[in-house]
Amino acid sequence: MELFWYIVVISMLTIYMLLDGYDFGAGIVHLFFAKKEEDKKAITKAIGPFWDANEVWLIAGGGVLFFAFPTLYASSFSGFYLPLMMILWLLMFRAIGLELRGLIHNSMWFAIWDTAFGVASLLLALFFGIAVGNIVRGVNMGDVVNGVSTYEAHYFTLPLWNPSLNPLSESVGVIDWFTLLIGLIGVVALTIHGANWIIYKTNSTINSRLKIIIFKLNFVLLGLALVSLSTWHLVLPYLFDNYISHPIFWIFPLISLVGLGGLFRIKHFKKDGTGFVFSSLFLAGGLASTALSIFPNFIPSRNSINPSLNIYNTAASSYGLNIGLVWFGIGILLVALYFTVQYRIFKGKMDEGDYGEH
Amino acid sequence: MEDMIFYDRMQFAFTITFHYLFPQLTMGLSLIIVYFKGKYLIKHDIKYNDAAKFWMKIFALNFMMGVVTGIPMEFQFGTNWAKFSELTGGIIGQTLAMEGTFSFFLESSFLGLFLFGEKLIGQKLHFLTGFLVFVGSWASGWLIIATNAWMQHPVGYEILENGKFVLTNFGALFSNPWLVPSYLHNQSASLVTASFVVAAIGAFYLLSKKHLEQGRIFIKTGIAFGLISSLAVAFPTGDWSAKNVVKFQPITFAAMEGIFDTEKGGSEIILVGQPDMELLKLDNKIAVPNVLSFLTYQNFTTEIKGLKEFDVSKWPKNVPGLYYSYHIMVGLGTILIGLMALSAFLLWRKHLEKSKWILWAIMFASPFPYIANIAGWYTAELGRQPWLVYNLLETAHGASPNVSAGNTLFTLLGFVGMYVLLGLLFLLLLGRIIYKGPETIKN
């Protein structure tokens, strides 16, 4: 049952990254590449009716994490206190940036909220990438100093950075060169993802330019991915254990690779949605591969005194997990229904109708 | 340690108080909008659709504020109350995860369609989306109150040796005797807020001689919903909730009513007075003999235990705060019933529009339901102290052991800054919507 809920949580967070990820990407494109007012408008229209429901995947995923793995929820949310609060504030700024923009038609007002939306999106992409990096690298579980735990075995606290920015030092920080690297991958990958969404959902005039940008950024992404892969084993020595014992898992890195490789053909795609499919493959495959590289751990411990947080030592009781299956089964079917209705109604290009102009 | 708990509590209290300014309006308002929309579909009178459209704008702004300020609430369970989450997450995680799955997805999927999709989906489906948003927001309230009800009156659990609470009976979470009365009390109170806001803006338009037609609809609808809901807040839901308190939390009951001594032959009801915690008595007391015993037990002479009967260590930590919260709630609630009853009478006698003073009164009373709602929640939460889970887990043992007081103060200050900004923006935008008024039909 723990395994089932693990898959549910990872799937919900992956869906979150795929969906809200294009919102962040659209925000980054909006910030750096959209110069004309009509392009900016097209971009906000492309995500207008969706972003709120997309964000719910984070909230609902967090809720399921809380219910199924309460110890993990408690430990990780308190351990990553400040970075999470910053993510929170950025999510709030992103939301008000998007929702308040259209309420007053004034160029100064637009400028303020455009910037809030764009900068918040950029930082969110960076922070979520850094978060993934932190989870792979692990933490000093229990805050062990000189062989003695400061807290109970499953609690920890991280400074935002340690002076050396070295992921291999004994007391690690949230930001080091490894997590920063994953953060950059997050920014580049989500920019590509968002640009693909804009191409898919609008007839915006920057679409042809976006294809060139995606093509170029894809080289950057490939480079960053290679660097991260070559350093991954430094922070996570048992990286390949699961892949060696279960060769079937190689399918996930392969999916990711197909996604990355496919995007080099962006200029030749006939359908506007193809690029989005490939960037989704890259992200989903990448996240699944990452999760599998540390499985069954959620957050690895970097010391030998306290154990890693894994799906078994953080789970709720089996009665609770079993009963959750009933309501969650019903709930997720309803969610599938809502999303089908939503995406049916808003199929096609979003910048043609006057919908979504808040 | 003391500082740590203090800042954790301040941050939660501040963020939840600010947050609850918005859902208390949107839950009630969603029902009133559904009413307007339904009336339009039945009567085909465009006035009602215009009314629905106007209120949807105010709803949208409030809903957005509710969403934005709601996310920190879920986060804080983990960030600031990690120990509480770890120990009870197997139980309250159920209801909170259900809120995300059943309520937030429903609301977020259909809110956009409801707010901007009228032309796209047609009138009947538009009504349906509004109805679904209403269902989503009321379901959200249900699951939050179910969570709170468990903290007030824990059921269906077992405590393991390591202190963890384990769920043993899922159904018990929803058959908790604390849940239904609290939910109905809370939802009626939410409807009071919405009714007063609708009526107050109606009164504003009538007094400023603008948008008269819509103003009349607003004031009539506001008074109709307001009279029913403000009565329902007191009876049966408030009465029922109070009986739960006396049954399950007798110390809390004594503290909130301000009863220090057990009176043989029946307790008085305190209307006014200031608790003196040194001498353990009320100063400048105005009270009516025996009425509290009657209200509680339908018998003027039944004995009610005073605070002094209980061990001081079990008392709520902030007796005066609890006492004032409760009395502010009840006092304002009574004023609101009176005001609505009078308005309804004048409306029935067709004197309402001529009686300018009552329009002014409705307008200026519109913040009162907000204060009463918040005071009601303070009563519930201060009343539960020193416990997080009543009688089982102390608040002091629920905070995150690994987040220092300094860090929490930092984020608390951040929230204060952020919410001041949000509050100013909200007032600016709300003012604009009200000033522009409902769109009048162009011939």
Side-chain angles (χ1 to χ4, degrees):
Chain A
M1 212 19 98
E2 287 91 350
L3 187 62
F4 170 80
W5 287 108
Y6 171 77
I7 295 170
V8 168
V9 168
I10 297 291
S11 306
M12 288 180 87
L13 294 179
T14 305
I15 292 172
Y16 171 68
M17 260 303 128
L18 291 183
L19 295 179
D20 217 14
Y22 72 66
D23 300 328
F24 299 151
I28 299 170
V29 171
H30 185 276
L31 183 67
F32 290 122
F33 306 118
K35 298 279 189 293
K36 283 182 287 184
E37 176 61 25
E38 52 179 298
D39 290 335
K40 290 187 176 179
K41 216 171 189 175
I43 292 172
T44 43
K45 276 185 174 181
I47 61 172
F50 302 112
W51 75 267
D52 187 20
N54 293 346
E55 192 175 287
V56 171
W57 284 96
L58 177 69
I59 311 301
V64 173
L65 179 70
F66 186 12
F67 130 81
F69 303 101
T71 306
L72 175 72
Y73 187 79
S75 167
S76 58
F77 273 55
S78 57
F80 294 116
Y81 186 79
L82 278 184
L84 271 175
M85 286 292 174
M86 288 173 191
I87 284 181
L88 239 179
W89 293 339
L90 289 170
L91 282 171
M92 294 166 93
F93 263 112
R94 198 263 308 244
I96 58 175
L98 272 167
E99 292 297 304
L100 299 191
R101 184 186 195 275
L103 293 183
I104 297 178
H105 287 265
N106 169 295
S107 59
M108 254 176 82
W109 181 263
F110 285 163
I112 294 170
W113 298 117
D114 281 347
T115 313
F117 163 55
V119 172
S121 299
L122 173 70
L123 291 176
L124 280 164
L126 181 71
F127 275 42
F128 277 114
I130 290 176
V132 173
N134 270 278
I135 286 163
V136 170
R137 182 209 56 209
V139 299
N140 183 3
M141 201 63 75
D143 272 16
V144 174
V145 182
N146 299 326
V148 183
S149 303
T150 315
Y151 306 114
E152 276 181 86
H154 49 281
Y155 283 100
F156 61 91
T157 180
L158 283 188
L160 284 179
W161 59 81
N162 67 7
S164 62
L165 296 185
N166 181 2
L168 307 173
S169 73
E170 190 185 333
S171 75
V172 287
V174 173
I175 298 169
D176 57 41
W177 61 256
F178 179 75
T179 60
L180 211 51
L181 181 65
I182 309 293
L184 285 177
I185 292 180
V187 172
V188 177
L190 293 182
T191 308
I192 293 174
H193 193 52
N196 275 321
W197 179 259
I198 295 166
I199 293 171
Y200 174 42
K201 293 303 274 186
T202 71
N203 281 322
S204 171
T205 52
I206 52 169
N207 280 3
S208 51
R209 226 178 94 221
L210 282 181
K211 285 187 184 179
I212 301 168
I213 289 167
I214 290 172
F215 185 71
K216 286 180 185 163
L217 280 180
N218 217 34
F219 281 103
V220 180
L221 183 60
L222 179 65
L224 289 171
L226 287 176
V227 176
S228 82
L229 281 181
S230 61
T231 54
W232 206 283
H233 68 277
L234 290 177
V235 296
L236 190 73
Y238 57 91
L239 166 63
F240 291 112
D241 287 9
N242 283 323
Y243 292 98
I244 292 165
S245 57
H246 299 86
I248 180 77
F249 290 164
W250 284 104
I251 188 142
F252 292 105
L254 205 65
I255 287 174
S256 200
L257 195 65
V258 169
L260 183 67
L263 277 177
F264 283 111
R265 293 186 45 77
I266 181 87
K267 292 172 193 164
H268 308 287
F269 291 151
K270 294 210 173 59
K271 284 188 186 162
D272 287 342
T274 314
F276 184 73
V277 173
F278 278 103
S279 53
S280 301
L281 287 178
F282 172 75
L283 286 169
L287 280 173
S289 312
T290 307
L292 280 173
S293 73
I294 59 170
F295 180 85
N297 292 340
F298 275 119
I299 303 181
S301 168
R302 294 191 61 80
N303 58 55
S304 52
I305 295 171
N306 295 316
S308 302
L309 298 182
N310 63 38
I311 70 170
Y312 304 107
N313 64 12
T314 61
S317 73
S318 58
Y319 171 78
L321 293 180
N322 286 328
I323 203 94
L325 209 56
V326 179
W327 60 254
F328 186 78
I330 300 168
I332 207 72
L333 284 178
L334 288 172
V335 171
L337 179 72
Y338 307 154
F339 268 70
T340 316
V341 170
Q342 206 193 6
Y343 280 76
R344 274 270 173 96
I345 290 174
F346 298 115
K347 62 173 187 253
K349 303 289 184 185
M350 296 301 298
D351 53 343
E352 285 165 349
D354 61 354
Y355 178 85
E357 196 190 339
H358 300 16
Chain B
M1 186 68 189
E2 288 276 297
D3 277 1
M4 200 167 101
I5 301 288
F6 176 74
Y7 291 130
D8 283 330
R9 287 187 65 194
M10 286 304 289
Q11 178 166 293
F12 204 91
F14 174 71
T15 52
I16 194 81
T17 303
F18 192 80
H19 170 63
Y20 200 59
L21 295 175
F22 308 105
Q24 66 169 297
L25 178 73
T26 52
M27 285 192 294
L29 191 54
S30 64
L31 182 64
I32 296 180
I33 294 173
V34 166
Y35 162 79
F36 281 138
K37 194 76 205 180
K39 195 148 182 184
Y40 166 63
L41 281 183
I42 294 166
K43 288 199 160 182
H44 299 287
D45 186 341
I46 194 77
K47 282 201 306 262
Y48 291 102
N49 204 36
D50 289 342
K53 276 185 178 167
F54 171 75
W55 284 103
M56 276 159 63
K57 282 187 200 156
I58 290 183
F59 178 85
L61 179 63
N62 277 277
F63 194 89
M64 193 271 296
M65 293 290 290
V67 171
V68 165
T69 56
I71 304 171
M73 304 325 305
E74 187 187 313
F75 269 56
Q76 277 180 84
F77 282 104
T79 51
N80 295 74
W81 300 96
K83 208 62 208 172
F84 170 57
S85 298
E86 182 197 343
L87 296 177
T88 66
I91 297 172
I92 62 165
Q94 293 268 356
T95 40
L96 291 174
M98 286 175 81
E99 190 196 17
T101 311
F102 288 102
S103 183
F104 295 160
F105 276 120
L106 182 63
E107 287 173 321
S108 63
S109 302
F110 294 102
L111 182 71
L113 272 174
F114 176 55
L115 294 180
F116 310 104
E118 191 182 351
K119 282 183 204 147
L120 202 65
I121 57 178
Q123 288 303 331
K124 280 184 185 153
L125 283 178
H126 189 237
F127 172 82
L128 180 68
T129 55
F131 183 74
L132 290 174
V133 170
F134 156 71
V135 170
S137 66
W138 280 54
S140 182
W142 170 254
L143 291 160
I144 289 301
I145 304 259
T147 310
N148 188 263
W150 186 82
M151 292 163 69
Q152 299 283 0
H153 179 62
V155 288
Y157 68 92
E158 191 183 306
I159 303 179
L160 303 182
E161 269 177 30
N162 58 11
K164 280 194 185 172
F165 289 70
V166 175
L167 185 65
T168 55
N169 183 351
F170 177 74
L173 296 179
F174 299 100
S175 58
N176 188 341
W178 197 282
L179 172 56
V180 172
S182 303
Y183 180 64
L184 295 177
H185 187 54
N186 189 68
Q187 299 310 96
S188 335
S190 159
L191 203 47
V192 175
T193 298
S195 310
F196 262 87
V197 169
V198 171
I201 293 181
F204 172 67
Y205 288 149
L206 292 183
L207 286 172
S208 53
K209 302 202 169 37
K210 277 194 212 160
H211 315 293
L212 290 177
E213 196 176 41
Q214 289 289 334
R216 278 181 202 117
I217 294 178
F218 295 169
I219 198 139
K220 273 186 203 162
T221 312
I223 291 172
F225 276 94
L227 180 64
I228 298 168
S229 58
S230 59
L231 283 170
V233 166
F235 191 86
T237 69
D239 174 60
W240 196 0
S241 302
K243 281 174 181 157
N244 263 339
V245 179
V246 78
K247 188 169 167 192
F248 299 120
Q249 301 181 352
I251 315 176
T252 307
F253 187 78
M256 73 188 204
E257 295 283 3
I259 305 294
F260 286 99
D261 297 288
T262 309
E263 298 283 344
K264 302 267 179 249
S267 285
E268 56 195 7
I269 192 156
I270 313 283
L271 302 179
V272 184
Q274 297 81 36
D276 178 338
M277 295 311 289
E278 271 75 48
L279 301 175
L280 298 182
K281 66 177 189 63
L282 280 178
D283 295 337
N284 315 311
K285 175 173 78 176
I286 303 176
V288 188
N290 296 66
V291 169
L292 185 63
S293 289
F294 178 74
L295 286 177
T296 315
Y297 295 109
Q298 281 69 53
N299 182 342
F300 285 106
T301 54
T302 311
E303 197 176 282
I304 291 175
K305 280 189 180 167
L307 258 184
K308 289 179 188 168
E309 295 263 333
F310 304 96
D311 190 44
V312 180
S313 66
K314 298 268 168 66
W315 288 12
K317 287 287 174 220
N318 185 349
V319 172
L322 172 60
Y323 166 88
Y324 287 128
S325 302
Y326 176 70
H327 279 82
I328 287 170
M329 172 186 79
V330 173
L332 288 179
T334 312
I335 292 173
L336 296 177
I337 293 175
L339 197 53
M340 276 298 166
L342 199 56
S343 312
F345 176 75
L346 290 171
L347 186 67
W348 173 55
R349 304 299 305 168
K350 304 207 187 313
H351 278 305
L352 187 77
E353 265 188 71
K354 279 171 258 162
S355 319
K356 290 246 158 68
W357 59 274
I358 194 97
L359 298 178
W360 281 101
I362 290 175
M363 212 169 78
F364 281 117
S366 60
F368 289 174
Y370 283 98
I371 299 170
N373 262 286
I374 299 293
W377 271 105
Y378 275 42
T379 307
E381 299 303 284
L382 288 174
R384 202 190 54 238
Q385 299 305 326
W387 307 100
L388 262 175
V389 182
Y390 197 70
N391 256 338
L392 297 172
L393 178 65
E394 281 191 58
T395 307
H397 297 154
S400 304
N402 49 345
V403 178
S404 69
N407 273 300
T408 307
L409 180 58
F410 175 75
T411 54
L412 171 58
L413 292 172
F415 275 114
V416 171
M418 183 113 183
Y419 284 5
V420 167
L421 175 71
L422 278 180
L424 290 174
L425 282 168
F426 171 76
L427 290 176
L428 168 77
L429 293 165
L430 182 71
R432 274 176 61 97
I433 297 173
I434 295 171
Y435 185 76
K436 272 188 179 171
E439 283 153 41
T440 41
I441 317 143
K442 295 174 191 100
N443 292 318

